[in-house]
Amino acid sequence: MADRITVIGWDGTPLTEAAGAALAAATLVAGAPYQLSALPVPESAERITLGNVRQAARRIAEHRGAAVVVAEGDPGFFGVVRTLRRPEYGLELEVLPAVSSVAAAFARAGMPWEDAQVVSVHGGRLRRAANICRAHPKVAVLTAPGAGPAELALMLRGVHRTFVVCEALGTPDEDVTVLTSDRIADHVWRDPNVVLVIGGGAQAATVDEAAGWLAGRPVGYPGADRGWALPGDAYAGAGRTEGEPGAPEALPAHVRALVLARLGARPGDLVWSVGAGSGALAVEAARFGAAVVAVEGSRSACARLTVNARRYGVEVEAVYGSGPEVLGGLPEPDAAVVESGGLDVVRAVLARRPERFVALPRTFAEAEEVRRAIAGAGYRADGALLQSTPLRPVGEDDGLTLGAGGTGALVLWGEQIV
């Protein structure tokens, strides 16, 4: 193993005294080509172009002498330190960070960023990064070749956002461009770059309670109420308006709890809620950090859904329409629930291959058809009949008794068979 390994974060500014001394003593230096040419690398030192970090780590582990790895900004923040610290290399590191590229990008934009989500598309995560941008109003995206601003904007078709594209930060070629998402794909962007994706209605409703002590945007926050599976009256017009065709009653809280557990919504997922009514279930999935598209055939219900999403400070994309045909233009789901719509809609959703699927049939006959459809599509099918009866007090000292208005609900679900 190398006698000493120093990881230097460089943001284009002059090196610190410690970084300069480590570089001057190095017998092996790894970095990007522009870094190796711009920095005072000793002529006698072995140079490694830092493309494949694991390959470089193996070479460093074999080296005898002082090794330096040059990385952008803060190498411990979505940087090379994670790979170099893998136990199979046995490397002990001294890290000398500079300002991270994310911090520099927000500084160029003149914006605070303790409330931002930060994601990386490295490792084929472009679609999940795009889902984070759908769900949150302020996201920094660390891009990669072939997964840059243009590709990200294409993944966000129909979702209006402002892109702040920061190219070649900390170099003489630095450039910062601000464009709306519909214009991003028309440009050719240089690597590496950081993209700030800003916008969405949720930012206007953000509760400021956590500002100043907690970074990021925790799951289930912001919101006026703690927890989830809230009572139906927590949502404006929960369910559909009485008298609308095929109008189901609002899902009880205990049913929503089971559905949400089976969906397993998490940040980076895209959830479909089909036949969403006024969006109680869609809003609660969004409060778990997932991106949510809610499909509803009633314009009044879509309007109430938007009100509910705004109240709880989350992004839910409301799509007006019903039947299988409306699903064709939607982005690929990770999880989906059919709250209403019938067997044709169930089959159309299953054809898009979400990892997890839930349906709420109205009768036992419909439940059997749905179960067959789930199993026939290659899913492990299961289900439950949930029945509940409210409790009411008999008197101040007489305890509780069963109240009127008991409910029952059929819930079927499926998970892809790996």
Side-chain angles (χ1 to χ4, degrees):
M1 186 176 70
D3 298 333
R4 185 176 73 246
I5 304 164
T6 306
V7 183
I8 298 174
W10 187 51
D11 58 6
T13 60
L15 295 175
T16 64
E17 182 178 347
L23 188 61
T27 55
L28 181 152
V29 180
Y34 79 93
Q35 294 168 330
L36 296 177
S37 62
L39 291 172
V41 178
E43 291 186 6
S44 59
E46 178 184 351
R47 298 180 179 220
I48 298 176
T49 299
L50 199 60
N52 187 318
V53 180
R54 292 192 179 188
Q55 183 177 345
R58 287 193 292 270
R59 176 67 191 96
I60 292 169
E62 298 167 354
H63 182 72
R64 294 296 177 266
V68 165
V69 178
V70 183
E72 293 180 10
D74 184 351
F77 187 74
F78 288 102
V80 299
V81 169
R82 179 176 297 278
T83 300
L84 295 175
R85 289 281 299 179
R86 291 174 67 94
E88 60 261 38
Y89 305 127
L91 303 178
E92 294 294 332
L93 310 177
E94 179 184 5
V95 181
L96 305 175
V99 174
S100 75
S101 57
V102 174
F106 276 108
R108 302 298 189 273
M111 298 176 65
W113 65 286
E114 74 278 354
D115 56 341
Q117 301 295 310
V118 182
V119 295
S120 170
V121 304
H122 291 264
R125 295 182 176 87
L126 177 61
R127 191 176 72 86
R128 297 190 68 80
N131 288 338
I132 294 291
C133 295
R134 285 176 175 272
H136 298 276
K138 185 187 290 184
V139 183
V141 182
L142 297 166
T143 64
E151 292 81 4
L152 182 61
L154 289 172
M155 295 289 292
L156 292 172
R157 273 194 309 268
V159 179
H160 180 76
R161 293 290 187 271
T162 297
F163 276 48
V164 181
V165 182
C166 302
E167 300 173 276
L169 283 171
T171 75
D173 298 323
E174 179 181 304
D175 193 17
V176 178
T177 306
V178 181
L179 289 173
T180 54
S181 51
D182 57 320
R183 297 179 59 193
I184 288 292
D186 299 333
H187 293 251
V188 176
W189 305 98
R190 291 172 291 160
D191 294 317
N193 53 60
V194 179
V195 182
L196 308 183
V197 183
I198 310 297
Q203 61 183 349
T206 297
V207 178
D208 204 32
E209 177 185 334
W213 73 278
L214 180 64
R217 189 166 181 255
V219 171
Y221 175 89
D225 297 272
R226 289 179 180 268
W228 48 281
L230 302 177
D233 59 9
Y235 300 95
R240 289 186 179 81
T241 303
E242 290 186 14
E244 292 184 39
E249 295 182 6
L251 290 178
H254 65 279
V255 177
R256 273 183 275 124
L258 177 60
V259 173
L260 289 165
R262 294 305 176 187
L263 289 175
R266 59 181 178 175
D269 283 349
L270 177 65
V271 176
W272 285 4
S273 178
V274 182
S278 295
L281 189 56
V283 168
E284 292 196 330
R287 293 180 71 198
F288 281 93
V292 179
V293 176
V295 180
E296 172 52 46
S298 162
R299 292 194 184 278
S300 59
C302 283
R304 293 193 296 273
L305 191 156
T306 301
V307 170
N308 285 324
R310 186 177 298 116
R311 172 182 178 180
Y312 288 98
V314 294
E315 291 285 338
V316 175
E317 181 182 350
V319 176
Y320 170 69
S322 60
E325 61 278 357
V326 75
L327 306 177
L330 301 184
E332 299 303 315
D334 297 285
V337 53
V338 176
E339 299 189 53
S340 66
L343 189 59
D344 288 345
V345 171
V346 166
R347 287 172 174 157
V349 173
L350 288 169
R352 297 293 290 273
R353 308 301 298 165
E355 292 180 20
R356 297 168 303 285
F357 173 81
V358 180
L360 299 164
R362 305 301 167 191
T363 66
F364 282 100
E366 183 184 352
E368 177 57 21
E369 292 178 329
V370 170
R371 186 196 65 79
R372 290 177 181 174
I374 294 172
Y379 288 75
R380 184 181 298 105
D382 205 344
L385 169 62
L386 297 185
Q387 293 181 302
S388 69
T389 302
L391 298 176
R392 65 177 179 84
V394 176
E396 289 188 9
D397 300 317
D398 296 329
L400 298 172
T401 188
L402 297 179
T407 61
L410 290 162
V411 183
L412 272 71
W413 59 85
E415 296 182 0
Q416 281 191 15
I417 300 173
V418 179

